[in-house]
């Protein structure tokens, strides 16, 4: 497996963890384990891609700095997307 693929796996796993941590921290906004994980996976991928586009993250490499950047971008991206989805879900549920 090449370094780029491993990097994406790290971002996605970090995103799933970030989504679940955000769900645990804000239990009233939690989407459940599966929902938090899915939102986190999406957010981890998006967060990693955004940082890569703006040059804050490297596409490949497995040095410590790159791996830590991938973990941080995936985790933060996962948490942010989980919160956005939860807020959107809550806003649409109150209208019904």
């Amino acid at each position: 497996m090449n370094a780029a693929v491993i990097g994406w796996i790290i971002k996605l796993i970090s995103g799933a963890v970030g989504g679940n941590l955000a769900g645990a921290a804000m239990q009233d906004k939690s989407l459940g384990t599966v929902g938090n994980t899915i939102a986190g996976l999406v957010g981890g991928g998006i967060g990693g891609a955004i940082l890569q586009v703006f040059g804050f993250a490297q596409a490949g490499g497995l040095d410590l700095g790159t791996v830590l950047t991938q973990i941080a971008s995936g985790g933060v991206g996962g948490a942010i997307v989980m919160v956005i989805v939860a807020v959107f879900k809550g806003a649409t549920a109150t209208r019904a």
Side-chain angles (χ1 to χ4, degrees), residues 33-96:
T33 303
V34 173
N36 292 342
T37 300
I38 292 170
L41 285 168
V42 171
I46 292 172
I50 288 173
L51 285 183
Q52 194 171 337
V53 166
F54 289 111
F56 294 112
Q58 298 175 1
L62 294 175
D63 60 282
L64 182 61
T66 301
V67 171
L68 290 176
T69 301
Q70 292 166 343
I71 291 171
S73 66
V76 171
I80 289 171
V81 169
M82 194 290 301
V83 170
I84 290 170
V85 170
V87 168
F88 181 74
K89 180 183 172 193
T92 58
T94 56
R95 290 185 193 175

